[in-house]
Amino acid sequence: MDDTLQNEMACLVDRAVAGDKSAVEKILTEIQDLVFNFSLRMLGTIADAEDASQEILIKVMTNLSSFRRESRFTTWVFRIAANYLSDYKKNMFSKYPLSFEFYGEDIAGGKEKDIPDLTQGIEQAILEEELKMSCTNVMLQCLDKESRCIFILGTMFKVDSTIAGDILGISPEAYRKRLSRVRAKMAGFMREYCGLEGGMCSCRKRINYAIASHRLRPDDLEYSALEKGKDEILNGFKNAMERVDDLSFVFSGMPFYHGGREVKEWLQRFFDSDEYRTITEA
């Protein structure tokens, strides 16, 4: 967010803390997409991101009085989300953790061969894009949680190292060093395996295998169903830009989505609930 919008959000926080319910609703509505996209990259699936987003939004709301303007409002929101997601264990990949070694072996195994056409007549380009979006989020799950958070902040959100360090509780220098190491690790994997970087894997060739292994469902294309935000929406959340190395373009170009339908519907129900009234009137 730029300075003007940051100041507007800070004023909304003051009003919310003073008991203005419309200010609370405005704040949560404004940040829901940011929280959803961050949760999606951290957790790897849309369903898990929707569940976590709801809980993070409640956490933000119930802690508004602790915002002291010592940092930007979005930095504060990121910090709450990062802390919450670092301990989140209800998502699929916490139960079934991935590694680059496992993912690489799966790709190198060539299991996509000799699988019949399972595309159900859906245009291949649509399925290929769906698989690419799913695979890039899954690839992030091969990183440990701290490395994943560092990579997402530096590559997708392009957060300034001073702000990222503030979010993570480390120095800007430490953040830059860790980001460099994580990028190098991701780059090494992608060079060998990701077809977008010249590696052996191809989204087009993996479509039927992904369907057969239930990683892709032609009758339920989740990413295609999400509404993509305009570039300026994501740019509004970026502060001072850091250079993104060439191997990061796959991640830096990932779409910024509007929060899933479930999050939007939950938020509206929440505003009308007794729980919301109890919290705001406490």
Side-chain angles (χ1 to χ4, degrees):
M1 293 184 176
D2 59 27
D3 290 338
T4 300
L5 194 49
Q6 291 284 353
N7 290 335
E8 289 177 2
M9 292 301 289
C11 290
L12 282 172
V13 172
D14 290 341
R15 287 169 47 196
V17 172
D20 186 338
K21 293 183 180 179
S22 65
V24 176
E25 294 178 12
K26 176 69 172 174
I27 290 169
L28 298 186
T29 300
E30 285 289 330
I31 66 171
Q32 65 171 324
D33 290 345
L34 173 67
V35 169
F36 173 74
N37 279 271
F38 187 47
S39 298
L40 176 59
R41 311 313 178 191
M42 284 293 294
L43 301 180
T45 70
I46 292 172
D48 287 328
E50 288 176 331
D51 289 344
S53 295
Q54 295 169 18
E55 296 173 34
I56 291 169
L57 289 173
I58 290 177
K59 215 164 183 57
V60 168
M61 183 183 72
T62 55
N63 285 277
L64 283 172
S65 61
S66 68
F67 176 60
R68 303 299 184 206
R69 300 194 187 214
E70 295 170 352
S71 62
R72 293 184 171 213
F73 182 69
T74 41
T75 302
W76 183 76
V77 171
F78 263 127
R79 190 183 303 124
I80 288 177
N83 288 337
Y84 182 80
L85 293 169
S86 67
D87 294 326
Y88 197 79
K89 294 182 174 61
K90 293 186 286 185
N91 61 310
M92 182 179 71
F93 290 107
S94 286
K95 299 172 185 174
Y96 306 100
L98 277 181
S99 67
F100 284 122
E101 292 73 22
F102 177 86
Y103 208 20
E105 288 174 4
D106 182 67
I107 292 171
K111 297 177 183 177
E112 69 273 9
K113 298 176 181 178
D114 303 320
I115 295 178
D117 182 11
L118 301 173
T119 59
Q120 301 178 26
I122 296 176
E123 187 177 340
Q124 191 168 34
I126 295 174
L127 294 173
E128 188 175 350
E129 181 67 16
E130 182 81 8
L131 182 57
K132 184 177 80 171
M133 290 299 102
S134 175
C135 184
T136 46
N137 279 320
V138 170
M139 203 184 306
L140 290 169
Q141 308 311 304
C142 295
L143 297 167
D144 64 81
K145 288 183 179 179
E146 181 184 56
S147 297
R148 193 184 316 152
C149 187
I150 288 171
F151 189 80
I152 291 166
L153 291 175
T155 303
M156 179 181 176
F157 290 96
K158 301 183 177 71
V159 174
D160 174 78
S161 59
T162 301
I163 295 170
D166 187 17
I167 292 169
L168 299 170
I170 59 178
S171 70
E173 294 76 14
Y175 168 77
R176 288 194 294 269
K177 289 179 181 178
R178 294 182 192 181
L179 177 58
S180 179
R181 288 198 295 268
V182 178
R183 280 177 170 166
K185 187 173 184 178
M186 182 66 78
F189 178 82
M190 293 179 70
R191 285 194 193 101
E192 184 171 359
Y193 295 106
C194 180
L196 298 172
E197 285 293 346
M200 67 177 69
C201 188
S202 164
C203 291
R204 180 175 292 270
K205 293 179 180 179
R206 293 272 288 185
I207 287 173
N208 287 312
Y209 172 61
I211 296 172
S213 57
H214 307 292
R215 301 178 189 182
L216 181 64
R217 292 180 55 189
D219 61 338
D220 184 19
L221 301 179
E222 295 181 301
Y223 289 93
S224 298
L226 287 176
E227 181 186 357
K228 292 182 181 179
K230 297 179 180 179
D231 289 342
E232 55 264 27
I233 296 175
L234 177 55
N235 290 335
F237 290 114
K238 294 174 182 174
N239 296 287
M241 302 283 281
E242 285 194 31
R243 184 182 70 84
V244 180
D245 59 57
D246 292 339
L247 285 165
S248 298
F249 83 94
V250 173
F251 293 95
S252 62
M254 290 171 77
F256 186 80
Y257 298 108
H258 289 301
R261 182 180 62 188
E262 183 174 324
V263 176
K264 294 180 183 298
E265 292 176 351
W266 169 83
L267 196 57
Q268 189 54 59
R269 291 195 304 271
F270 179 63
F271 289 150
D272 296 332
S273 69
D274 292 336
E275 180 185 6
Y276 173 71
R277 284 190 288 273
T278 300
I279 293 172
T280 55
E281 292 171 3

Short mmCIF file of all heavy atoms in Angstrom, two decimals, residues 70-121:
data_model
loop_
_atom_site.label_atom_id
_atom_site.label_comp_id
_atom_site.label_asym_id
_atom_site.label_seq_id
_atom_site.Cartn_x
_atom_site.Cartn_y
_atom_site.Cartn_z
N GLU A 70 3.92 1.81 14.83
CA GLU A 70 5.39 1.74 14.79
C GLU A 70 5.86 1.13 13.46
O GLU A 70 7.03 1.18 13.13
CB GLU A 70 5.88 0.89 15.97
CG GLU A 70 5.59 1.53 17.32
CD GLU A 70 5.86 0.59 18.48
OE1 GLU A 70 6.15 -0.60 18.20
OE2 GLU A 70 5.78 1.03 19.64
N SER A 71 4.93 0.53 12.74
CA SER A 71 5.20 -0.01 11.41
C SER A 71 3.98 0.27 10.55
O SER A 71 2.94 0.73 11.05
CB SER A 71 5.46 -1.52 11.47
OG SER A 71 4.32 -2.20 11.97
N ARG A 72 4.10 0.00 9.26
CA ARG A 72 2.95 0.15 8.38
C ARG A 72 1.88 -0.89 8.75
O ARG A 72 2.20 -1.96 9.26
CB ARG A 72 3.36 -0.04 6.92
CG ARG A 72 4.27 1.07 6.42
CD ARG A 72 4.58 0.89 4.96
NE ARG A 72 5.26 2.06 4.43
CZ ARG A 72 5.12 2.50 3.18
NH1 ARG A 72 4.33 1.85 2.34
NH2 ARG A 72 5.76 3.56 2.77
N PHE A 73 0.64 -0.55 8.47
CA PHE A 73 -0.45 -1.45 8.84
C PHE A 73 -0.31 -2.79 8.14
O PHE A 73 -0.51 -3.85 8.74
CB PHE A 73 -1.80 -0.82 8.50
CG PHE A 73 -2.97 -1.68 8.91
CD1 PHE A 73 -3.27 -1.88 10.23
CD2 PHE A 73 -3.75 -2.31 7.94
CE1 PHE A 73 -4.33 -2.70 10.62
CE2 PHE A 73 -4.81 -3.12 8.31
CZ PHE A 73 -5.11 -3.31 9.65
N THR A 74 0.06 -2.78 6.85
CA THR A 74 0.20 -4.04 6.12
C THR A 74 1.36 -4.87 6.68
O THR A 74 1.31 -6.10 6.67
CB THR A 74 0.42 -3.80 4.62
OG1 THR A 74 1.31 -2.71 4.43
CG2 THR A 74 -0.89 -3.51 3.94
N THR A 75 2.41 -4.21 7.16
CA THR A 75 3.52 -4.93 7.81
C THR A 75 3.00 -5.65 9.04
O THR A 75 3.33 -6.82 9.29
CB THR A 75 4.64 -3.97 8.19
OG1 THR A 75 5.11 -3.29 7.03
CG2 THR A 75 5.80 -4.70 8.85
N TRP A 76 2.19 -4.95 9.80
CA TRP A 76 1.60 -5.52 11.02
C TRP A 76 0.71 -6.71 10.68
O TRP A 76 0.75 -7.76 11.34
CB TRP A 76 0.81 -4.43 11.74
CG TRP A 76 0.20 -4.80 13.04
CD1 TRP A 76 0.82 -4.96 14.25
CD2 TRP A 76 -1.20 -5.08 13.27
NE1 TRP A 76 -0.09 -5.31 15.22
CE2 TRP A 76 -1.33 -5.38 14.65
CE3 TRP A 76 -2.32 -5.07 12.46
CZ2 TRP A 76 -2.56 -5.69 15.22
CZ3 TRP A 76 -3.55 -5.39 13.01
CH2 TRP A 76 -3.66 -5.70 14.38
N VAL A 77 -0.10 -6.59 9.63
CA VAL A 77 -0.97 -7.68 9.20
C VAL A 77 -0.14 -8.88 8.75
O VAL A 77 -0.42 -10.03 9.11
CB VAL A 77 -1.92 -7.23 8.07
CG1 VAL A 77 -2.67 -8.42 7.48
CG2 VAL A 77 -2.90 -6.18 8.57
N PHE A 78 0.90 -8.62 7.94
CA PHE A 78 1.79 -9.69 7.50
C PHE A 78 2.40 -10.41 8.70
O PHE A 78 2.54 -11.64 8.70
CB PHE A 78 2.92 -9.12 6.64
CG PHE A 78 2.68 -9.21 5.16
CD1 PHE A 78 2.78 -8.10 4.36
CD2 PHE A 78 2.39 -10.43 4.56
CE1 PHE A 78 2.58 -8.18 2.98
CE2 PHE A 78 2.19 -10.53 3.19
CZ PHE A 78 2.28 -9.39 2.39
N ARG A 79 2.79 -9.65 9.72
CA ARG A 79 3.44 -10.25 10.90
C ARG A 79 2.47 -11.19 11.62
O ARG A 79 2.84 -12.29 12.00
CB ARG A 79 3.92 -9.16 11.85
CG ARG A 79 4.82 -9.70 12.97
CD ARG A 79 5.23 -8.59 13.93
NE ARG A 79 5.90 -7.51 13.24
CZ ARG A 79 5.52 -6.23 13.27
NH1 ARG A 79 4.45 -5.88 13.96
NH2 ARG A 79 6.21 -5.32 12.62
N ILE A 80 1.23 -10.75 11.78
CA ILE A 80 0.21 -11.59 12.40
C ILE A 80 -0.01 -12.85 11.57
O ILE A 80 -0.04 -13.98 12.10
CB ILE A 80 -1.11 -10.82 12.56
CG1 ILE A 80 -0.98 -9.77 13.67
CG2 ILE A 80 -2.27 -11.78 12.87
CD1 ILE A 80 -2.21 -8.90 13.86
N ALA A 81 -0.13 -12.68 10.26
CA ALA A 81 -0.37 -13.82 9.38
C ALA A 81 0.81 -14.77 9.38
O ALA A 81 0.65 -16.00 9.45
CB ALA A 81 -0.67 -13.33 7.96
N ALA A 82 2.03 -14.23 9.29
CA ALA A 82 3.24 -15.07 9.26
C ALA A 82 3.38 -15.87 10.55
O ALA A 82 3.70 -17.07 10.52
CB ALA A 82 4.47 -14.21 9.02
N ASN A 83 3.16 -15.22 11.68
CA ASN A 83 3.26 -15.92 12.97
C ASN A 83 2.20 -17.02 13.08
O ASN A 83 2.48 -18.12 13.57
CB ASN A 83 3.10 -14.93 14.12
CG ASN A 83 4.31 -14.03 14.27
OD1 ASN A 83 5.41 -14.37 13.84
ND2 ASN A 83 4.12 -12.87 14.88
N TYR A 84 1.01 -16.70 12.63
CA TYR A 84 -0.07 -17.69 12.71
C TYR A 84 0.21 -18.88 11.79
O TYR A 84 0.08 -20.04 12.19
CB TYR A 84 -1.40 -17.03 12.32
CG TYR A 84 -2.57 -17.98 12.42
CD1 TYR A 84 -3.17 -18.26 13.64
CD2 TYR A 84 -3.07 -18.61 11.28
CE1 TYR A 84 -4.23 -19.14 13.74
CE2 TYR A 84 -4.13 -19.50 11.37
CZ TYR A 84 -4.71 -19.76 12.59
OH TYR A 84 -5.75 -20.63 12.68
N LEU A 85 0.62 -18.60 10.56
CA LEU A 85 0.83 -19.67 9.58
C LEU A 85 2.06 -20.52 9.90
O LEU A 85 2.13 -21.69 9.52
CB LEU A 85 0.95 -19.07 8.18
CG LEU A 85 -0.34 -18.43 7.64
CD1 LEU A 85 -0.06 -17.64 6.37
CD2 LEU A 85 -1.41 -19.49 7.39
N SER A 86 3.02 -19.93 10.59
CA SER A 86 4.23 -20.70 10.95
C SER A 86 3.89 -21.83 11.92
O SER A 86 4.61 -22.84 12.00
CB SER A 86 5.30 -19.79 11.56
OG SER A 86 4.88 -19.29 12.82
N ASP A 87 2.80 -21.67 12.68
CA ASP A 87 2.39 -22.70 13.63
C ASP A 87 1.17 -23.49 13.15
O ASP A 87 0.64 -24.33 13.88
CB ASP A 87 2.06 -22.06 14.99
CG ASP A 87 3.29 -21.46 15.66
OD1 ASP A 87 4.38 -22.04 15.49
OD2 ASP A 87 3.16 -20.41 16.31
N TYR A 88 0.73 -23.22 11.93
CA TYR A 88 -0.49 -23.84 11.42
C TYR A 88 -0.23 -25.29 11.04
O TYR A 88 0.67 -25.58 10.25
CB TYR A 88 -0.99 -23.06 10.19
CG TYR A 88 -2.43 -23.32 9.81
CD1 TYR A 88 -3.47 -22.71 10.50
CD2 TYR A 88 -2.75 -24.16 8.75
CE1 TYR A 88 -4.79 -22.92 10.15
CE2 TYR A 88 -4.07 -24.38 8.38
CZ TYR A 88 -5.08 -23.76 9.09
OH TYR A 88 -6.39 -23.97 8.75
N LYS A 89 -1.01 -26.20 11.59
CA LYS A 89 -0.76 -27.63 11.36
C LYS A 89 -1.99 -28.37 10.85
O LYS A 89 -1.99 -29.60 10.78
CB LYS A 89 -0.25 -28.28 12.64
CG LYS A 89 1.13 -27.78 13.09
CD LYS A 89 1.60 -28.49 14.33
CE LYS A 89 3.04 -28.09 14.67
NZ LYS A 89 3.16 -26.64 14.93
N LYS A 90 -3.02 -27.64 10.46
CA LYS A 90 -4.24 -28.29 10.00
C LYS A 90 -4.27 -28.48 8.49
O LYS A 90 -5.19 -29.10 7.96
CB LYS A 90 -5.46 -27.46 10.45
CG LYS A 90 -5.67 -27.46 11.95
CD LYS A 90 -6.95 -26.76 12.35
CE LYS A 90 -6.86 -25.25 12.22
NZ LYS A 90 -8.07 -24.58 12.72
N ASN A 91 -3.29 -27.91 7.78
CA ASN A 91 -3.30 -28.02 6.33
C ASN A 91 -2.76 -29.36 5.85
O ASN A 91 -2.07 -30.08 6.58
CB ASN A 91 -2.49 -26.88 5.70
CG ASN A 91 -1.05 -26.90 6.10
OD1 ASN A 91 -0.73 -26.98 7.30
ND2 ASN A 91 -0.14 -26.84 5.15
N MET A 92 -3.07 -29.70 4.61
CA MET A 92 -2.72 -31.00 4.06
C MET A 92 -1.22 -31.26 4.09
O MET A 92 -0.77 -32.36 4.42
CB MET A 92 -3.22 -31.10 2.61
CG MET A 92 -2.95 -32.45 1.96
SD MET A 92 -3.58 -32.56 0.28
CE MET A 92 -2.44 -31.47 -0.58
N PHE A 93 -0.42 -30.24 3.77
CA PHE A 93 1.02 -30.46 3.66
C PHE A 93 1.73 -30.50 5.01
O PHE A 93 2.90 -30.87 5.08
CB PHE A 93 1.65 -29.42 2.74
CG PHE A 93 1.25 -29.62 1.29
CD1 PHE A 93 0.37 -28.74 0.68
CD2 PHE A 93 1.75 -30.69 0.57
CE1 PHE A 93 -0.01 -28.94 -0.64
CE2 PHE A 93 1.37 -30.89 -0.76
CZ PHE A 93 0.48 -30.01 -1.36
N SER A 94 1.04 -30.13 6.07
CA SER A 94 1.59 -30.37 7.41
C SER A 94 1.44 -31.85 7.76
O SER A 94 2.27 -32.42 8.46
CB SER A 94 0.88 -29.50 8.46
OG SER A 94 1.29 -28.15 8.35
N LYS A 95 0.37 -32.44 7.26
CA LYS A 95 0.12 -33.86 7.53
C LYS A 95 0.93 -34.75 6.59
O LYS A 95 1.33 -35.85 6.95
CB LYS A 95 -1.37 -34.16 7.37
CG LYS A 95 -2.26 -33.37 8.33
CD LYS A 95 -3.73 -33.54 8.00
CE LYS A 95 -4.60 -32.67 8.89
NZ LYS A 95 -6.04 -32.73 8.50
N TYR A 96 1.13 -34.26 5.36
CA TYR A 96 1.89 -35.02 4.36
C TYR A 96 2.98 -34.12 3.78
O TYR A 96 2.85 -33.62 2.66
CB TYR A 96 0.95 -35.52 3.26
CG TYR A 96 -0.23 -36.31 3.77
CD1 TYR A 96 -1.49 -35.71 3.90
CD2 TYR A 96 -0.08 -37.65 4.13
CE1 TYR A 96 -2.57 -36.44 4.38
CE2 TYR A 96 -1.16 -38.38 4.62
CZ TYR A 96 -2.41 -37.77 4.74
OH TYR A 96 -3.48 -38.48 5.22
N PRO A 97 4.05 -33.90 4.53
CA PRO A 97 5.09 -32.96 4.10
C PRO A 97 5.80 -33.40 2.83
O PRO A 97 5.95 -34.59 2.55
CB PRO A 97 6.06 -32.93 5.30
CG PRO A 97 5.80 -34.20 6.04
CD PRO A 97 4.36 -34.51 5.84
N LEU A 98 6.22 -32.40 2.06
CA LEU A 98 6.94 -32.63 0.81
C LEU A 98 8.40 -32.23 0.96
O LEU A 98 8.77 -31.48 1.86
CB LEU A 98 6.32 -31.79 -0.31
CG LEU A 98 5.09 -32.33 -1.04
CD1 LEU A 98 4.68 -31.37 -2.13
CD2 LEU A 98 5.36 -33.71 -1.64
N SER A 99 9.21 -32.71 0.04
CA SER A 99 10.61 -32.29 -0.05
C SER A 99 10.97 -32.21 -1.52
O SER A 99 10.31 -32.81 -2.38
CB SER A 99 11.53 -33.30 0.66
OG SER A 99 11.55 -34.54 -0.05
N PHE A 100 12.04 -31.46 -1.83
CA PHE A 100 12.49 -31.39 -3.21
C PHE A 100 12.92 -32.78 -3.71
O PHE A 100 12.73 -33.11 -4.88
CB PHE A 100 13.66 -30.41 -3.34
CG PHE A 100 13.23 -28.97 -3.30
CD1 PHE A 100 13.75 -28.10 -2.34
CD2 PHE A 100 12.32 -28.47 -4.21
CE1 PHE A 100 13.35 -26.77 -2.30
CE2 PHE A 100 11.92 -27.14 -4.17
CZ PHE A 100 12.44 -26.30 -3.22
N GLU A 101 13.48 -33.57 -2.82
CA GLU A 101 13.93 -34.90 -3.21
C GLU A 101 12.74 -35.77 -3.64
O GLU A 101 12.78 -36.43 -4.69
CB GLU A 101 14.68 -35.57 -2.05
CG GLU A 101 16.02 -34.94 -1.70
CD GLU A 101 15.89 -33.60 -0.98
OE1 GLU A 101 14.82 -33.34 -0.38
OE2 GLU A 101 16.85 -32.82 -1.02
N PHE A 102 11.69 -35.76 -2.83
CA PHE A 102 10.51 -36.56 -3.15
C PHE A 102 9.85 -36.06 -4.43
O PHE A 102 9.49 -36.86 -5.31
CB PHE A 102 9.51 -36.49 -1.99
CG PHE A 102 8.21 -37.22 -2.26
CD1 PHE A 102 8.09 -38.57 -2.01
CD2 PHE A 102 7.12 -36.53 -2.79
CE1 PHE A 102 6.90 -39.25 -2.26
CE2 PHE A 102 5.92 -37.20 -3.05
CZ PHE A 102 5.82 -38.56 -2.79
N TYR A 103 9.70 -34.74 -4.55
CA TYR A 103 9.04 -34.16 -5.71
C TYR A 103 9.86 -34.43 -6.98
O TYR A 103 9.32 -34.75 -8.03
CB TYR A 103 8.84 -32.66 -5.50
CG TYR A 103 7.65 -32.07 -6.23
CD1 TYR A 103 6.60 -32.86 -6.67
CD2 TYR A 103 7.58 -30.70 -6.46
CE1 TYR A 103 5.51 -32.30 -7.32
CE2 TYR A 103 6.50 -30.13 -7.11
CZ TYR A 103 5.47 -30.95 -7.54
OH TYR A 103 4.39 -30.40 -8.19
N GLY A 104 11.17 -34.33 -6.86
CA GLY A 104 12.04 -34.59 -7.99
C GLY A 104 11.97 -36.04 -8.45
O GLY A 104 11.94 -36.32 -9.65
N GLU A 105 11.94 -36.96 -7.49
CA GLU A 105 11.84 -38.38 -7.83
C GLU A 105 10.52 -38.68 -8.52
O GLU A 105 10.46 -39.50 -9.44
CB GLU A 105 11.97 -39.23 -6.56
CG GLU A 105 13.39 -39.26 -5.99
CD GLU A 105 13.46 -39.99 -4.65
OE1 GLU A 105 12.41 -40.52 -4.23
OE2 GLU A 105 14.55 -40.02 -4.05
N ASP A 106 9.46 -38.02 -8.08
CA ASP A 106 8.16 -38.22 -8.71
C ASP A 106 8.18 -37.76 -10.17
O ASP A 106 7.62 -38.42 -11.05
CB ASP A 106 7.09 -37.44 -7.93
CG ASP A 106 5.70 -37.65 -8.51
OD1 ASP A 106 5.20 -38.78 -8.43
OD2 ASP A 106 5.13 -36.69 -9.05
N ILE A 107 8.85 -36.64 -10.42
CA ILE A 107 8.95 -36.12 -11.79
C ILE A 107 9.84 -37.01 -12.64
O ILE A 107 9.50 -37.38 -13.76
CB ILE A 107 9.49 -34.68 -11.76
CG1 ILE A 107 8.45 -33.74 -11.12
CG2 ILE A 107 9.84 -34.21 -13.18
CD1 ILE A 107 8.98 -32.35 -10.86
N ALA A 108 10.99 -37.38 -12.08
CA ALA A 108 11.97 -38.17 -12.84
C ALA A 108 11.47 -39.59 -13.12
O ALA A 108 11.93 -40.24 -14.06
CB ALA A 108 13.29 -38.23 -12.08
N GLY A 109 10.50 -40.06 -12.32
CA GLY A 109 10.01 -41.42 -12.49
C GLY A 109 9.29 -41.66 -13.80
O GLY A 109 9.06 -42.81 -14.19
N GLY A 110 8.92 -40.58 -14.48
CA GLY A 110 8.26 -40.72 -15.77
C GLY A 110 6.92 -41.43 -15.72
O GLY A 110 6.51 -42.12 -16.66
N LYS A 111 6.19 -41.27 -14.61
CA LYS A 111 4.93 -41.99 -14.44
C LYS A 111 3.82 -41.47 -15.34
O LYS A 111 2.74 -42.06 -15.40
CB LYS A 111 4.50 -41.90 -12.97
CG LYS A 111 5.47 -42.57 -12.01
CD LYS A 111 5.03 -42.39 -10.57
CE LYS A 111 6.03 -43.00 -9.60
NZ LYS A 111 5.65 -42.78 -8.18
N GLU A 112 4.09 -40.35 -16.04
CA GLU A 112 3.06 -39.80 -16.91
C GLU A 112 2.90 -40.59 -18.21
O GLU A 112 1.97 -40.38 -18.98
CB GLU A 112 3.37 -38.34 -17.24
CG GLU A 112 4.58 -38.11 -18.13
CD GLU A 112 5.87 -38.02 -17.34
OE1 GLU A 112 5.85 -38.30 -16.13
OE2 GLU A 112 6.89 -37.64 -17.93
N LYS A 113 3.81 -41.53 -18.43
CA LYS A 113 3.76 -42.32 -19.66
C LYS A 113 2.65 -43.37 -19.60
O LYS A 113 2.30 -43.87 -18.54
CB LYS A 113 5.11 -43.02 -19.89
CG LYS A 113 6.27 -42.05 -20.07
CD LYS A 113 7.59 -42.81 -20.20
CE LYS A 113 8.76 -41.84 -20.35
NZ LYS A 113 10.06 -42.56 -20.41
N ASP A 114 2.11 -43.69 -20.77
CA ASP A 114 1.13 -44.76 -20.92
C ASP A 114 -0.16 -44.54 -20.13
O ASP A 114 -0.83 -45.49 -19.73
CB ASP A 114 1.74 -46.12 -20.52
CG ASP A 114 2.99 -46.45 -21.32
OD1 ASP A 114 2.99 -46.16 -22.54
OD2 ASP A 114 3.95 -46.96 -20.73
N ILE A 115 -0.51 -43.28 -19.88
CA ILE A 115 -1.78 -42.97 -19.23
C ILE A 115 -2.73 -42.46 -20.30
O ILE A 115 -2.38 -41.58 -21.09
CB ILE A 115 -1.60 -41.91 -18.12
CG1 ILE A 115 -0.71 -42.48 -17.01
CG2 ILE A 115 -2.94 -41.49 -17.54
CD1 ILE A 115 -0.43 -41.51 -15.88
N PRO A 116 -3.94 -42.99 -20.36
CA PRO A 116 -4.89 -42.57 -21.41
C PRO A 116 -5.35 -41.13 -21.22
O PRO A 116 -5.11 -40.52 -20.18
CB PRO A 116 -6.05 -43.54 -21.24
CG PRO A 116 -5.99 -43.96 -19.80
CD PRO A 116 -4.52 -44.01 -19.47
N ASP A 117 -6.03 -40.60 -22.21
CA ASP A 117 -6.56 -39.24 -22.15
C ASP A 117 -7.68 -39.17 -21.13
O ASP A 117 -8.69 -39.86 -21.24
CB ASP A 117 -7.07 -38.83 -23.54
CG ASP A 117 -7.60 -37.40 -23.56
OD1 ASP A 117 -7.38 -36.67 -22.57
OD2 ASP A 117 -8.23 -37.02 -24.55
N LEU A 118 -7.48 -38.34 -20.11
CA LEU A 118 -8.48 -38.19 -19.04
C LEU A 118 -9.02 -36.77 -18.96
O LEU A 118 -9.63 -36.39 -17.97
CB LEU A 118 -7.83 -38.56 -17.69
CG LEU A 118 -7.26 -39.98 -17.56
CD1 LEU A 118 -6.51 -40.12 -16.24
CD2 LEU A 118 -8.36 -41.02 -17.67
N THR A 119 -8.81 -35.99 -20.01
CA THR A 119 -9.11 -34.55 -19.97
C THR A 119 -10.60 -34.23 -20.08
O THR A 119 -10.98 -33.08 -19.88
CB THR A 119 -8.36 -33.81 -21.08
OG1 THR A 119 -8.73 -34.36 -22.35
CG2 THR A 119 -6.85 -33.97 -20.90
N GLN A 120 -11.43 -35.21 -20.40
CA GLN A 120 -12.89 -35.04 -20.45
C GLN A 120 -13.29 -33.92 -21.42
O GLN A 120 -14.28 -33.22 -21.19
CB GLN A 120 -13.45 -34.76 -19.05
CG GLN A 120 -13.16 -35.86 -18.05
CD GLN A 120 -13.67 -35.56 -16.66
OE1 GLN A 120 -14.63 -34.80 -16.49
NE2 GLN A 120 -13.04 -36.14 -15.66
N GLY A 121 -12.51 -33.76 -22.48
CA GLY A 121 -12.85 -32.79 -23.51
C GLY A 121 -12.56 -31.34 -23.16
O GLY A 121 -12.88 -30.44 -23.92
#
